[in-house]
């Protein structure tokens, strides 16, 4: 069995907006030792509606993760978070002048594997050491155009409709669908980045992999926020992200594990 230690951190910057409408959080499961969750929500909606929507996503995530036990289905829990938050966000819109929405991306690390889910264009990136491995596919209009071959992925970044989403929490007319991913056989060197579009818009995949792979979560966070602000040129969105890295355990822990194995033999 591979042994590793988890290093994790979160970061936010208001960018050039008047309000921070993103939310990001890290949780440990009180009834499931060895399980942690990272979640990012990018809220949308006037008069603080977006902030309220994103806050509800984080609250729903914490509430359901607090109830999670080993042996429970992680994907079902993540889907339940989406539908719980979606329902409450819709109810909050009744007293709001504008319809609040939110994206959602979450990662659960368990002793056996990593499982993630997303709705909208907040992303999860997975890295294998310093190498980019995969990322989630946005639920957006321009992503559909890319799939259809109408535009390239590079053209999608600055397309005039790049902010139009086809799947969000809080929509009055549609139930959000959830896309999942997972990684078995976790080992030190695996790392994950969850982020809103206020971050990923300004970076190539390889830049993110190098920044996360070469630094601690705190060092990577400082670098990424600084570069995102420089590249935004005073026109940046809210920036929010979480970094989760699996690193080698301390030397004394490795020695203890080795000693236990020798005694067992």
């Amino acid at each position: 069995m591979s042994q590793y230690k988890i290093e994790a951190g979160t970061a936010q910057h208001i960018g050039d907006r008047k309000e921070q409408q993103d939310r990001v959080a890290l949780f440990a499961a009180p009834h499931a030792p060895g399980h942690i969750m990272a979640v990012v929500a990018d809220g949308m909606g006037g008069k603080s509606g977006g902030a309220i929507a994103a806050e509800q996503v984080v609250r729903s995530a914490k509430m359901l993760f607090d109830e999670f036990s080993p042996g429970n289905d992680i994907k079902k829990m993540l889907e339940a978070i989406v539908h719980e938050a979606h329902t409450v966000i819709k109810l909050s819109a009744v007293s709001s002048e504008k319809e609040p929405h939110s994206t959602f991306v979450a990662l659960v690390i368990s002793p056996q594997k990593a499982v993630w889910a997303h709705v909208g264009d907040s992303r999860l990136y997975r890295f294998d050491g310093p190498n980019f491995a995969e990322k989630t596919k946005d639920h957006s209009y321009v992503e559909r155009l890319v799939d259809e071959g109408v535009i390239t992925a590079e053209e999608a970044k600055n397309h005039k409709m790049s902010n139009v989403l086809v799947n969000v929490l809080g929509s009055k007319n549609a139930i959000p669908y959830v896309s999942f991913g997972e990684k078995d056989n976790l080992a030190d060197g695996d790392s994950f980045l969850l982020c809103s579009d206020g971050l990923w818009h300004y970076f190539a995949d390889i830049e993110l992999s190098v920044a996360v792979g070469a630094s601690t979560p705190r060092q990577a966070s400082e670098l990424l926020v600084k570069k995102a602000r420089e590249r935004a040129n005073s026109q940046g969105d809210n920036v929010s992200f979480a970094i989760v890295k699996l690193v080698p355990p301390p030397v004394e822990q490795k020695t203890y594990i080795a000693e236990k194995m020798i005694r067992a033999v």
Side-chain angles (χ1 to χ4, degrees), residues 12-261:
Q12 284 194 291
H13 194 287
I14 195 170
D16 299 293
R17 301 292 190 255
K18 293 181 179 179
E19 181 183 16
Q20 175 59 267
Q21 295 199 340
D22 292 355
R23 293 294 185 272
V24 58
L26 287 166
F27 304 120
H31 305 301
H35 291 68
I36 71 158
M37 173 188 285
V39 59
V40 172
D42 182 353
M44 298 157 278
K47 297 191 175 182
S48 297
I52 291 170
E55 184 67 30
Q56 184 56 52
V57 171
V58 171
R59 287 179 182 174
S60 295
K62 185 177 189 306
M63 179 183 70
L64 290 174
F65 201 46
D66 280 350
E67 299 171 355
F68 183 82
S69 299
N72 289 4
D73 190 309
I74 295 174
K75 289 184 179 180
K76 285 184 178 178
M77 178 197 61
L78 291 170
E79 196 164 36
I81 291 169
V82 168
H83 294 305
E84 166 80 16
H86 170 68
T87 299
V88 177
I89 292 168
K90 281 178 62 180
L91 292 173
S92 72
V94 173
S95 59
S96 170
E97 290 187 15
K98 292 194 176 182
E99 188 176 352
H101 297 119
S102 181
T103 66
F104 167 83
V105 62
L107 165 73
V108 175
I109 299 285
S110 74
Q112 294 77 34
K113 62 183 177 179
V115 179
W116 56 89
H118 83 286
V119 176
D121 67 347
S122 288
R123 294 180 179 177
L124 177 139
Y125 290 79
R126 182 174 70 83
F127 309 111
D128 180 6
N131 303 311
F132 168 76
E134 62 180 311
K135 64 183 175 184
T136 52
K137 178 180 284 191
D138 300 339
H139 300 151
S140 65
Y141 175 71
V142 294
E143 191 64 43
R144 286 187 176 178
L145 295 181
V146 172
D147 289 343
E148 294 167 2
V150 177
I151 61 174
T152 66
E154 192 59 35
E155 289 171 335
K157 277 190 174 183
N158 298 306
H159 194 280
K160 62 182 179 181
M161 298 185 73
S162 62
N163 63 339
V164 176
L165 303 182
V166 298
N167 185 36
V168 293
L169 282 70
S171 172
K172 292 180 180 178
N173 303 316
I175 297 173
Y177 58 89
V178 187
S179 295
F180 296 99
E182 62 181 76
K183 169 69 165 61
D184 294 318
N185 302 316
L186 294 175
D188 64 83
D190 288 329
S191 56
F192 303 86
L193 168 69
L194 295 80
C195 61
S196 64
D197 62 342
L199 182 78
W200 64 250
H201 182 81
Y202 300 105
F203 295 92
D205 298 343
I206 190 171
E207 291 180 306
L208 294 173
S209 65
V210 170
V212 172
S215 309
T216 65
R218 179 172 181 173
Q219 292 168 337
S221 296
E222 292 173 351
L223 172 64
L224 290 173
V225 168
K226 179 181 178 182
K227 287 296 182 183
R229 296 297 302 136
E230 289 174 358
R231 295 176 180 183
N233 196 25
S234 300
Q235 296 182 3
D237 198 354
N238 298 156
V239 177
S240 298
F241 58 96
I243 295 173
V244 179
K245 299 187 66 174
L246 309 186
V247 300
V251 174
E252 59 270 20
Q253 185 176 341
K254 287 183 178 179
T255 303
Y256 175 66
I257 293 168
E259 288 176 350
K260 284 184 68 177
M261 291 177 65

